[in-house]
């Protein structure tokens, strides 16, 4: 059982496999935080009863030493003795913002209720997930607040969310309504978050906390390239494999904030939810407001432990798609090969050549509709471009099917081009503010998804195409941030609801389309990975990680992304070096593929332009990926070498049954070093033996054998030159698990004839 309730002392111990999260009710009625960290099985209630005293802390109660500012509260307010960042603010009918929420009741249920209108983790009801709901009440204004905690034991995770109900008679205004607030004792922590930009998504940034506030937030209307709705608080000595890590991940795709504040008493408060900046929400009597949920994960095994918890949680309890745990098709997308410049013949040729190398699905990207020959027009006009496809899409789709490929199609449903029939007909259907210009980005405007009519139109337009064709996959793109976030459908006092209403509208549209077309695999995209968040992943189990396919930069993007998101979500394609965003690297096809095989693998290439040798290499890669895809996509993922702080990158996955391990390693930039690299593997069975099944491919010349130096049977010193030793290398070297994890796998330098420009090793477990 995950939730232990001590009814007498009103202490609640939310236990996961390795962690405890302790809450208690203070006699005054406050809900206080007592502890979050490594599991405490048996607690002595008295030890959690004391309330600290603060020197300069006022008290809301006459003659009392109790101060909101001295304690750690589950859902703190501002204005009556706590001066730190508040979890919520309510404008009361008389204009003030003072509240005093007191505990009223609690209930524990098995399973997890849905969150109205929002994506959220789910439970089957019989999977051990339990939910604790606290009802808090402010008697002056009649505000009821439900704090909800669902405990996922196996994943060391707790999902927190909040529901506001106006149970009074006057109108309330929510000025801020965060999803979670956690107070940590002390401030000896680091903050880690994922910062970035277009083509540079999810760089890992780690900084020491000090007094003052630090915010990670998006005000772009989307979770954004620049930030990701995730932060972690780390013990100062924590690293990839050791130490305390506290993760916060918000299941939301719009404006968000994670505020970290260290106060004058060196205490740390982390607050996360919808960004209050430009937000407010009117609550008439009887109305409710539901916050998104924040997923809290504790790991005492460093960042890898945290990532593994998120990966498992997302795969089992967040991705609603029927494809969540299905091996994804290896696809070829025409975008990098053609951009807008294609016709029926060109696309048919690409499909034919894709079939020839073993591709499983072809995706027709941007440019198939309206008058779309550049990014200046036609978004919103989802009818086939007859100049490019005089006979519609049917012949191309049939051609793909005849060649044994599934067919996928690109949409950007949330957008409208000013040069489009849709805009000419409905100029008020985009986000806009009266008497102000409409800021364009990539020559396009954003449709007002807070308007139900617009949402219905999108559902109908996309459904029309999907129901008339045999389409197995949709790439759902979104290429700009939101500006002039106002809606013609809302009165002036509700304009600041628009950004959140947009997100709710988007989720409604995604819900309807993914439910109506359950057999279509939906992929998210926002100029690459500009909206790579758990909210989108709830509906669409994979997202194009970045438009940047440069090998080194992609390695960093995928490594950073893996902090929170499992490899199955990371769409990673090999593109030719003349593609628009491929970077200047001269990486070989093999190295680019080895990088892309760390995720959900595919290509964006015109294979017809490749020399025969490269086509053969592509065929080899496709066969190889089929062999390892399940392990990569659904195995346990371990980061081994950090490309942000070293000149190397390494990661590996171990299949669910432990039978296969796939290891990637590379040196980012060649160095003159002739030393071998020893890569310590993780997650293997120490007592088992593992055969390196592709040793020839990996090590070619015979270097990189167990240990470093000539393999057994090599010519003695003084004989023929030591390298290469092809004939002496056993076909499939065998290692013990403990050797690979403790001594490591020796990877030879390229200077010594090895191929460690990048290696992809496949190990097969051969016994205990
Ligand atoms: C941005 C995406 O990231 C690309 O992959 C491509 O689909 C273009 N949009 C098309 O306009």
């Amino acid at each position: 059982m995950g939730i232990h309730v001590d009814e007498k002392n009103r202490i609640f111990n939310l236990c996961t496999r390795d962690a405890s999260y302790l809450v208690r009710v203070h006699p005054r009625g406050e809900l206080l935080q007592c502890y979050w960290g490594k599991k405490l099985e048996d607690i002595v209630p008295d030890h959690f009863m004391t309330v600290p005293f603060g020197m300069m802390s006022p008290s809301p109660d006459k003659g009392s030493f109790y101060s909101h500012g001295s304690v750690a509260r589950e859902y703190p307010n501002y204005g009556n003795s706590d001066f730190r960042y508040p979890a919520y603010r309510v404008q009361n009918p008389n204009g003030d913002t003072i509240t005093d929420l007191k505990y009223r009741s609690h209930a524990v249920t098995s399973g997890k209720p849905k969150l109205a209108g929002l994506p959220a983790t789910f439970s089957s009801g019989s999977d051990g997930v339990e939910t604790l709901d606290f009802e808090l009440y402010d008697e002056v204004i009649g505000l009821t607040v439900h704090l909800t905690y669902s405990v996922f034991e196996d994943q060391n995770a707790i999902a927190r969310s909040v529901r506001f109900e106006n149970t009074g008679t006057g109108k309330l205004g929510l000025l801020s309504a965060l999803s979670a607030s956690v107070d940590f004792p002390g401030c000896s922590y680091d903050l880690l978050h994922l910062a970035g930009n277009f083509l540079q998504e999810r760089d890992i940034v780690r900084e020491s906390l000090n007094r003052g506030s630090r915010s990670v937030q998006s005000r772009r209307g989307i979770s954004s390239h620049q930030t990701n709705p995730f932060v972690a608080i780390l013990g100062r000595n924590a690293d990839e494999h050791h130490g305390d890590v506290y993760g916060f991940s918000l299941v939301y795709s719009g404006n968000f904030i994670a505020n970290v504040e260290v106060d004058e008493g060196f205490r740390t408060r982390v607050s996360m939810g919808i960004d209050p900046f430009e937000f407010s929400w009117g609550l008439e009597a009887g109305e409710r407001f539901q916050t998104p949920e924040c997923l809290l994960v504790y790991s005492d095994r460093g960042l890898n432990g945290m990532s593994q918890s998120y990966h498992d949680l997302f795969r089992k309890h967040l991705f609603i798609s029927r494809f969540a745990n299905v091996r994804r098709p290896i696809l070829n997308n025409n975008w990098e090969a053609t951009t807008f410049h294609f016709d029926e013949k060109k696309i048919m040729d690409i499909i034919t050549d894709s079939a020839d190398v073993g591709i499983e699905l072809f995706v027709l990207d941007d440019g198939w509709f309206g008058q779309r020959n550049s990014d200046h027009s036609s978004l919103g006009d989802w009818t086939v471009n007859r100049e490019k496809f005089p006979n519609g899409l049917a012949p191309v789709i049939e051609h793909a099917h005849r060649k044994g490929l599934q067919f996928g199609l690109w949409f950007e449903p949330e957008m409208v081009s000013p040069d489009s029939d849709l805009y000419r007909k409905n100029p008020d259907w985009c986000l806009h503010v009266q008497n102000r210009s409409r800021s364009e980005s990539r020559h396009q405007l954003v449709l007002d998804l807070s308007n139900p009519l617009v949402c219905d139109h999108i559902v109908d337009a996309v459904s029309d195409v999907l129901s008339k064709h045999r389409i197995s996959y949709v790439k759902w793109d979104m290429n700009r941030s939101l500006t002039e976030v106002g809606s013609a459908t809302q009165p002036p006092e509700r304009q600041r609801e628009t950004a959140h209403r947009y997100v709710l509208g988007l989720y409604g549209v995604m819900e309807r389309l993914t439910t109506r077309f359950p057999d279509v695999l939906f992929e998210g995209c926002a100029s690459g990975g500009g909206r790579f968040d758990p909210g989108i992943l709830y509906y669409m189990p994979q997202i194009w990680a970045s438009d940047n396919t440069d090998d080194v930069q992609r390695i960093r993007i995928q490594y950073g992304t893996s902090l929170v998101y499992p490899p199955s979500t990371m769409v990673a394609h090999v593109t030719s070096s003349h593609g628009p965003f491929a970077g200047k690297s001269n990486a070989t096809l093999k190295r680019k593929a080895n990088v892309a095989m760390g995720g959900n693998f595919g290509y964006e290439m015109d294979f017809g332009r490749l020399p025969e040798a490269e086509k053969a290499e592509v065929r080899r890669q496709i066969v190889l990926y089929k062999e390892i895809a399940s392990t990569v996509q659904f195995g346990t993922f371990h980061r081994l070498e950090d490309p942000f702080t070293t000149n190397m990158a390494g990661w590996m996955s171990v299949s669910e049954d432990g039978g296969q391990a796939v290891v990637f390693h590379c040196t980012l930039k060649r160095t003159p070093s002739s030393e071998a690299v020893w890569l310590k593997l993780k997650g293997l069975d120490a007592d088992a033996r593992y055969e390196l099944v592709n040793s020839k491919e990996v090590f070619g010349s015979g270097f990189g054998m167990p240990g470093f130096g000539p393999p057994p049977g090599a010519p003695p010193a003084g004989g023929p030159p030591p390298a290469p030793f092809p004939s002496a290398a056993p076909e499939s070297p065998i290692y013990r698990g403990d050797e690979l994890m403790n001594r490591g796998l020796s990877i030879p330098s390229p200077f010594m004839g090895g191929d460690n420009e990048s290696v992809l090793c496949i190990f097969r477990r051969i016994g205990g």
Side-chain angles (χ1 to χ4, degrees):
M1 221 204 7
I3 299 173
H4 302 264
V5 183
D6 173 346
E7 295 281 358
K8 182 168 153 261
N9 295 294
R10 289 209 180 140
I11 294 191
F12 304 82
N13 189 354
L14 282 61
C15 289
T16 63
R17 196 186 53 221
D18 306 314
S20 281
Y21 186 102
L22 274 167
V23 178
R24 78 167 170 104
V25 181
H26 182 268
R28 187 185 184 278
E30 301 298 323
L31 206 53
L32 301 186
Q33 273 168 16
C34 302
Y35 173 80
W36 182 25
K38 207 169 165 64
K39 190 165 185 171
L40 303 179
E41 297 272 7
D42 231 354
I43 61 158
V44 181
D46 283 355
H47 296 175
F48 294 90
M49 289 308 190
T50 49
V51 166
F53 163 74
M55 284 289 281
M56 293 291 284
S57 306
S59 174
D61 304 331
K62 209 170 173 53
S64 162
F65 288 119
Y66 172 88
S67 171
H68 291 324
S70 308
V71 295
R73 288 181 296 160
E74 276 301 299
Y75 205 58
N77 70 333
Y78 167 83
N80 46 6
S81 76
D82 191 347
F83 301 97
R84 291 166 289 178
Y85 197 83
Y88 72 101
R89 286 178 69 219
V90 177
Q91 175 112 37
N92 300 327
N94 64 3
D96 72 78
T97 55
I98 303 300
T99 53
D100 202 0
L101 286 173
K102 300 250 173 89
Y103 166 89
R104 202 144 83 160
S105 64
H106 70 267
V108 177
T109 49
S110 63
K112 181 173 187 289
K114 286 189 165 191
L115 299 195
L118 288 164
T121 48
F122 55 79
S123 151
S124 66
S126 56
D127 49 12
V129 177
E130 285 190 329
T131 299
L132 169 62
D133 182 274
F134 290 110
E135 185 176 303
L136 311 181
Y137 184 62
D138 182 309
E139 59 186 13
V140 175
I141 53 170
L143 172 67
T144 302
V145 172
H146 287 267
L147 304 186
T148 305
Y149 303 73
S150 295
V151 178
F152 296 86
E153 272 194 84
D154 288 346
Q155 290 82 20
N156 292 314
I158 296 174
R160 282 188 63 174
S161 67
V162 182
R163 192 174 78 242
F164 288 81
E165 286 177 29
N166 184 346
T167 42
T169 49
K171 182 178 174 183
L172 301 176
L174 284 181
L175 304 177
S176 126
L178 301 190
S179 303
S181 173
V182 175
D183 285 355
F184 291 85
C187 67
S188 294
Y189 304 106
D190 289 349
L191 165 68
L192 185 143
H193 57 105
L194 299 172
N197 203 348
F198 172 51
L199 303 176
Q200 198 195 338
E201 294 91 337
R202 292 171 293 286
D203 274 357
I204 298 177
V205 176
R206 182 171 177 167
E207 53 199 66
S208 278
L209 292 183
N210 213 326
R211 272 176 292 182
S213 275
R214 173 83 174 86
S215 286
V216 173
Q217 69 196 125
S218 169
R219 299 186 201 114
R220 292 176 172 266
I222 55 173
S223 47
S224 85
H225 296 90
Q226 289 75 8
T227 53
N228 195 266
F230 158 78
V231 292
I233 299 298
L234 284 70
R236 286 267 154 84
N237 297 324
D239 62 20
E240 278 287 15
H241 306 288
H242 314 94
D244 288 336
V245 178
Y246 302 84
F248 296 76
S249 163
L250 191 70
V251 186
Y252 193 60
S253 310
N255 294 334
F256 74 90
I257 189 166
N259 191 75
V260 183
E261 179 177 1
V262 177
D263 71 2
E264 72 286 354
F266 301 95
R267 301 170 300 176
T268 305
R269 172 172 291 177
V270 180
S271 323
M272 194 168 202
I274 295 175
D275 190 357
F277 183 85
E278 278 296 298
F279 166 87
S280 72
W281 197 272
L283 267 192
E284 300 283 354
E287 284 185 348
R288 294 175 168 192
F289 181 83
Q290 173 66 58
T291 74
E293 73 178 10
C294 186
L295 305 172
L296 275 55
V297 162
Y298 167 76
S299 157
D300 64 346
R301 292 179 298 115
L303 285 163
N304 264 291
M306 177 201 71
S307 303
Q308 284 158 12
S309 285
Y310 277 125
H311 294 184
D312 200 40
L313 179 70
F314 287 2
R315 280 198 300 250
K316 295 190 178 135
H317 297 282
L318 180 71
F319 305 158
I320 201 87
S321 162
R322 84 160 181 78
F323 295 95
N325 295 303
V326 173
R327 202 272 274 169
R328 311 294 161 72
I330 301 170
L331 64 82
N332 188 26
N333 173 313
N334 70 300
W335 175 249
E336 289 273 334
T338 64
T339 63
F340 298 102
H341 311 297
F342 54 81
D343 56 17
E344 184 186 87
K345 176 169 182 326
K346 179 78 204 165
I347 293 300
M348 291 219 187
D349 287 349
I350 293 182
I351 291 172
T352 305
D353 292 328
S354 299
D356 177 51
V357 292
I359 291 290
E360 298 169 316
L361 186 148
F362 171 76
V363 182
L364 180 56
D365 207 280
D366 196 354
W368 60 268
F369 52 91
Q371 302 300 313
R372 183 92 164 162
N373 298 314
S374 75
D375 56 13
H376 284 66
S377 82
S378 301
L379 292 172
D381 298 343
W382 301 111
T383 48
V384 180
N385 180 322
R386 292 281 167 173
E387 275 164 33
K388 288 178 180 171
F389 299 104
N391 308 305
L393 290 179
V396 181
I397 297 176
E398 270 161 34
H399 179 65
H401 290 149
R402 264 199 311 275
K403 289 283 171 191
L405 269 67
Q406 296 173 283
F407 187 85
L409 198 60
W410 180 97
F411 289 90
E412 195 175 356
E414 297 158 68
M415 296 293 150
V416 64
S417 306
D419 179 9
S420 67
D421 292 342
L422 182 68
Y423 190 72
R424 283 182 280 272
K425 205 168 149 209
N426 302 290
D428 276 358
W429 272 18
C430 65
L431 291 175
H432 68 281
V433 166
Q434 267 183 10
N435 305 322
R436 302 282 174 193
S437 64
R438 303 174 178 196
S439 303
E440 291 181 19
S441 180
R442 208 192 186 201
H443 318 287
Q444 61 198 57
L445 297 167
V446 183
L447 285 170
D448 176 6
L449 271 70
S450 75
N451 179 349
L453 275 181
V454 173
C455 293
D456 289 348
H457 170 81
I458 293 174
V459 171
D460 289 347
V462 175
S463 296
D464 189 55
V465 180
L466 295 188
S467 52
K468 287 188 177 137
H469 301 93
R470 266 177 68 201
I471 291 173
S472 312
Y473 159 110
V474 163
K475 178 176 172 185
W476 183 295
D477 207 346
M478 198 285 182
N479 284 302
R480 60 160 292 180
S481 307
L482 277 49
T483 54
E484 292 89 26
V485 185
S487 172
T489 62
Q490 297 298 324
E493 70 278 11
R494 287 193 176 266
Q495 288 298 318
R496 286 178 64 187
E497 298 179 8
T498 309
H500 181 56
R501 286 187 184 276
Y502 179 93
V503 179
L504 293 178
L506 172 69
Y507 289 152
V509 168
M510 288 186 169
E511 175 84 34
R512 283 154 75 187
L513 283 170
T514 52
T515 310
R516 191 174 293 177
F517 299 98
D519 295 330
V520 173
L521 169 59
F522 283 82
E523 172 174 310
C525 173
S527 303
R531 203 167 54 180
F532 207 121
D533 62 59
I536 298 298
L537 287 167
Y538 172 86
Y539 302 101
M540 307 187 171
Q542 58 186 58
I543 296 177
W544 177 226
S546 178
D547 273 352
N548 191 336
T549 51
D550 172 269
D551 56 324
V552 171
Q553 294 169 44
R554 252 304 174 135
I555 284 172
R556 296 205 179 102
I557 290 166
Q558 291 174 207
Y559 193 93
T561 304
S562 79
L563 254 287
V564 194
Y565 309 101
S568 64
T569 64
M570 274 184 243
V571 178
H573 294 167
V574 179
T575 67
S576 45
S577 42
H578 52 262
F581 299 117
K584 294 198 169 56
S585 98
N586 293 318
T588 59
L589 198 52
K590 180 175 174 190
R591 171 157 156 141
K592 288 197 251 184
N594 283 351
V595 175
M597 285 192 210
N600 192 327
F601 183 64
Y603 296 83
E604 304 208 1
M605 285 176 110
D606 180 352
F607 297 117
R609 293 175 60 174
L610 292 187
E612 275 312 314
E614 293 200 359
K615 274 195 208 167
E617 170 61 13
V618 169
R619 282 189 200 100
R620 181 197 71 83
Q621 291 167 1
I622 290 174
V623 170
L624 173 71
Y625 189 71
K626 285 182 184 164
E627 201 180 321
I628 63 174
S630 296
T631 301
V632 170
Q633 294 177 12
F634 311 115
T636 303
F637 182 80
H638 304 260
R639 286 178 301 276
L640 304 176
E641 288 287 354
D642 179 357
F644 291 95
T645 55
T646 71
N647 186 32
M648 283 183 277
W651 56 61
M652 66 180 286
S653 293
V654 181
S655 64
E656 273 184 305
D657 65 2
Q660 190 185 57
V662 178
V663 181
F664 166 77
H665 179 271
C666 85
T667 304
L668 303 184
K669 251 187 172 183
R670 268 191 179 214
T671 66
S673 168
S674 57
E675 297 301 316
V677 167
W678 286 90
L679 185 67
K680 290 187 181 178
L681 307 192
K682 295 280 172 190
L684 303 176
D685 179 345
D687 298 325
R689 286 176 305 136
Y690 293 88
E691 176 187 0
L692 177 59
V693 290
N694 63 338
S695 69
K696 267 239 161 92
E697 210 176 287
V698 172
F699 297 123
S701 65
F703 281 88
M705 301 295 303
F708 183 57
F725 298 110
S727 56
E731 285 292 315
S732 304
I734 290 169
Y735 306 78
R736 270 180 56 93
D738 54 1
E739 180 193 340
L740 288 170
M741 292 192 291
N742 299 316
R743 187 177 185 223
L745 173 71
S746 163
I747 298 176
S749 149
F751 281 90
M752 297 301 286
D755 187 15
N756 86 334
E757 188 212 17
S758 73
V759 292
L760 194 74
C761 311
I762 307 175
F763 288 95
R764 187 168 61 88
R765 183 185 162 132
I766 51 172

